[in-house]
Amino acid sequence: EKGQEVSAGGGGGGEKQENLIDRIMKWLGEGAKAIKNKFGDLILISKDGNKRFRTDLTNPHGDKPHMHIEEKVNNDWTDVGPHRIYPK
């Protein structure tokens, strides 16, 4: 499945990037925490453990660097929206 390119900043300001981060944090809810996987990629996870924002920037598994927005469905992580989100 093809990913979606999004602008997470660029130009000269961080306004778009801040907006994206704010939206992700709002979706994750109060008490979300940040962790890193063994490759150093960022994972933001909701307090209840059912939503996460995951980056594959350091180790994109043979693809271009990308991100995922996921929810647990039947105890499996499922992408919300496009399978991969590619930063511009």
Side-chain angles (χ1 to χ4, degrees), residues 2-16:
K2 192 169 182 167
Q4 174 181 341
E5 289 195 3
V6 296
S7 178
E15 186 176 318
K16 287 182 182 178

Side-chain angles (χ1 to χ4, degrees), residues 23-67:
R23 290 173 59 193
I24 291 167
M25 293 308 292
K26 184 177 180 180
W27 177 73
L28 290 171
E30 285 287 324
K33 65 180 178 176
I35 59 173
K36 289 192 176 190
N37 66 17
K38 66 182 179 181
F39 303 106
D41 285 315
L42 176 68
I43 300 170
L44 302 174
I45 191 160
S46 64
K47 185 176 181 177
D48 66 4
N50 289 318
K51 296 178 183 177
R52 73 179 177 185
F53 170 77
R54 176 171 62 89
T55 64
D56 290 325
L57 303 175
T58 305
N59 181 21
H61 317 290
D63 194 5
K64 296 187 298 184
H66 59 274
M67 301 165 281

